[in-house]
DNA sequence: ATAAGTGCAAACTATTTGCAGGAAA
DNA sequence: TTTCCTGCAAATAGTTTGCACTTAT
């Protein structure tokens, strides 16, 4: 009998955290579960913290910040290139782009078909392209 | 003889400010001169403020912030979609895109040839495309 | 046992705001 | 002479940090 004594052992979230080279602490695993439970998300530290509290996950805001950055460095998250004071993280790190609704500062994934970019210039020497972010800014249609 | 009694009268900068529907105050005209004197620039409020001081333009930081936002609403500037705490403004509001140097958080214009985007999805109803921002993120080439 | 992670509160940075005085129309 | 603008200082928002305590290995 090898019953797991720790509640979060063996979860997908734990594996994810472990693979990132991070110790699977209660807080990290719980945050990973929240972040990656359902599909693509755009979320800020404050929002994730609130969500954690609602889910009865006790974790400090400072730890949420630390964890988000650690996850980002580990390639589990990506920082969204948006204006404004808050930093938003994207749980989808694969190639995809976004609509940005001006005024509301709201982000929506562009999922229909592959958006292609042509005539991309060569990067300066010694540099290579990490990835390409396309933000399609939208405003209310004037009529 | 119609000598201009006010130093900044008749300048391009004054005309620009006036056309934006803003009163051509000493501060606004001076900041417009600094901003649009030479080509495309990526600049933050703090940086513009310092530059103003160096040029012996007396203007408060609060006014620099206000002015940058007023210029942005008037379409004279554009906010750059970059991560990080500071807001950067682009003095070039025409269609062009950027390299973003990771680590250094540095922006470089992409000026070579027209970068084209194909397969752009239709915007949701009631919305139209304001413009498209492309950020080509660069990292040091591993070797 | 040891190294790494966490929580708290304080510090910090960028930005905004309220209001009294000053300048443009 | 009225309305808008500016400067200052205080307020705010988001994020980071120092350090004593806890947890994973």
């Amino acid at each position: 009998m090898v019953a797991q004594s720790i509640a979060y052992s063996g979860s997908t979230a734990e594996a994810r955290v472990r693979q990132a080279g991070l110790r699977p602490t209660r807080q990290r695993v719980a945050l990973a579960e929240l972040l990656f439970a359902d599909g693509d998300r755009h979320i800020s530290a404050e929002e994730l913290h609130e969500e954690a509290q609602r889910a009865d996950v006790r974790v400090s805001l400072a730890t949420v910040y630390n964890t988000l950055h650690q996850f980002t460095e580990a390639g589990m998250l990506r920082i969204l290139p948006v204006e404004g004071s808050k930093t938003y993280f994207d749980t989808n790190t694969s190639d995809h782009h976004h609509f940005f609704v001006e005024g509301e500062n709201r982000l929506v994934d562009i999922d229909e078909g592959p958006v292609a970019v042509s005539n991309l210039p060569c990067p300066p020497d010694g540099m290579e392209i990490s990835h390409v972010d396309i933000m399609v800014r939208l405003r209310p249609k004037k009529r």
Side-chain angles (χ1 to χ4, degrees), chain A residues 13-38:
Chain A
E14 193 209 345
R16 222 187 248 266
V17 171
R18 208 180 274 284
Q19 278 172 6
L22 295 167
R23 285 191 186 177
T25 63
R26 179 178 61 74
Q27 291 85 339
R28 285 181 183 151
V29 174
L31 292 178
E33 264 164 13
L34 290 175
L35 284 169
F36 303 109
D38 28 43

Side-chain angles (χ1 to χ4, degrees), chain A residues 6-58:
Chain A
I6 318 173
Y8 55 76
S9 275
S11 72
T12 308
E14 193 209 345
R16 222 187 248 266
V17 171
R18 208 180 274 284
Q19 278 172 6
L22 295 167
R23 285 191 186 177
T25 63
R26 179 178 61 74
Q27 291 85 339
R28 285 181 183 151
V29 174
L31 292 178
E33 264 164 13
L34 290 175
L35 284 169
F36 303 109
D38 28 43
D40 305 350
R41 307 194 55 185
H42 307 137
I43 197 168
S44 71
E46 202 95 30
E47 286 166 9
L48 180 58
H49 185 235
E50 278 165 25
E51 190 168 319
Q53 312 233 282
R54 263 182 268 120
D56 273 307
V57 173
R58 291 185 304 92

Side-chain angles (χ1 to χ4, degrees), chain A residues 74-87:
Chain A
M76 296 162 65
L77 295 175
R78 202 172 264 179
I79 294 181
L80 287 159
V82 275
E83 66 192 65
S85 41
K86 287 189 182 177
T87 301

Side-chain angles (χ1 to χ4, degrees), chain A residues 79-100:
Chain A
I79 294 181
L80 287 159
V82 275
E83 66 192 65
S85 41
K86 287 189 182 177
T87 301
Y88 276 86
F89 297 83
D90 195 337
T91 60
N92 178 357
T93 59
S94 66
D95 269 328
H96 73 292
H97 304 291
H98 300 91
F99 285 122
F100 177 80

